[in-house]
Amino acid sequence: MVRPPKTTDTTGLTFFFLDEADTVEALCARIIPGDSEDPGAREAGVLRYIDRALSGAYSRWQGAYREGVRTLNLYTRQRYGKKFFELSEEEQDTIIAAMERDEIPGFGDSSSEAFFTMIWAHTVEGMFSDPVYGGNRDALGWRMVGFPGAQYGYSAEEMRYGADLSAKEIVTLAGVRQLAREKPELFYHRPGPEPAAPEEETPGVPQPPREPGEPMGPGQ
């Protein structure tokens, strides 16, 4: 089915230029496709995760993304007269299959397969990592696989192999931080008696410096 290009929400992006954002999001949306009824990478905000990562911990991959997106769009414009994100989903899937087979030229010392593998890995990360990192919006990825998130503890029954945790309330890192503020005893209290404070003499109050010629206090 041919669908018109979707508009990418670029609000708050710190690394990608507009065409780069559109291209990367289109790739992510074919790796984990979805729609409003069955959310995928686009709906989960995976692009925002990758953008944040490239602006920070993954900065070493900035060049690979810029050059890879430029090469990919150059190839699709030569073949279809359009940039990758402007292609139909069927055409995009054809290009992705060619990338996986390393059949798209122009990637220099790297390869189209390596470029796709990099985006595939980052798409999966953005889909299933904690929402605090920018992706997995509304814990959509976790809901997809029945993962309850960053729980601070599990019961013995819940830790049983094969236990269904899909009905358990999802907790994100943001939720854990809020819980630590509201109930710090869950995180900071150590069982057993509190250690006794060492007995120390209360230090005297520091005295202000004496004026020249002022007599010293008793014993001084």
Side-chain angles (χ1 to χ4, degrees):
M1 180 175 61
V2 178
R3 295 181 180 177
K6 296 181 174 64
T7 301
T8 300
D9 180 9
T10 59
T11 305
L13 297 186
T14 58
F15 173 72
F16 287 125
F17 295 119
L18 296 181
D19 277 6
E20 292 171 341
D22 287 334
T23 301
V24 171
E25 184 169 70
L27 284 164
C28 296
R30 298 316 300 150
I31 293 171
I32 306 180
D35 53 39
S36 58
E37 299 298 324
D38 184 17
R42 189 193 304 273
E43 292 75 23
V46 168
L47 173 69
R48 193 167 305 280
Y49 166 83
I50 297 176
D51 181 80
R52 286 188 184 180
L54 290 173
S55 296
Y58 287 0
S59 59
R60 63 188 180 277
W61 281 307
Q62 288 182 357
Y65 267 88
R66 291 222 193 279
E67 186 61 21
V69 169
R70 185 194 68 80
T71 301
L72 176 61
N73 281 330
L74 178 62
Y75 177 81
T76 59
R77 289 185 69 177
Q78 291 173 343
R79 179 168 178 178
Y80 295 101
K82 301 177 182 178
K83 297 174 183 178
F84 179 82
F85 61 88
E86 297 172 326
L87 302 176
S88 69
E89 292 180 345
E90 289 78 7
E91 291 168 335
Q92 290 176 352
D93 288 345
T94 297
I95 294 298
I96 287 176
M99 291 173 67
E100 290 184 280
R101 296 191 298 267
D102 198 18
E103 295 177 352
I104 296 183
F107 281 82
D109 295 336
S110 185
S111 66
S112 63
E113 179 186 13
F115 177 64
F116 174 75
T117 300
M118 175 181 67
I119 293 184
W120 177 87
H122 294 166
T123 298
V124 173
E125 289 179 12
M127 187 71 188
F128 298 107
S129 62
D130 193 281
V132 73
Y133 300 110
N136 192 13
R137 182 185 296 135
D138 298 327
L140 291 174
W142 291 351
R143 297 179 195 281
M144 179 188 300
V145 297
F147 177 59
Q151 303 287 328
Y152 70 89
Y154 292 93
S155 67
E157 181 64 21
E158 289 171 337
M159 294 179 66
R160 180 177 53 82
Y161 178 77
D164 182 7
L165 304 179
S166 59
K168 192 174 180 66
E169 181 181 0
I170 291 179
V171 179
T172 66
L173 285 178
V176 171
R177 290 170 180 166
Q178 183 63 32
L179 186 61
R181 170 177 290 182
E182 296 173 352
K183 298 182 178 180
E185 68 277 7
L186 294 175
F187 299 87
Y188 305 115
H189 177 70
R190 294 182 178 180
E194 295 291 335
E199 295 184 3
E200 296 182 357
E201 292 185 4
T202 303
V205 178
Q207 298 296 319
R210 294 179 290 106
E211 295 293 334
E214 181 181 346
M216 300 177 69
Q220 295 181 328

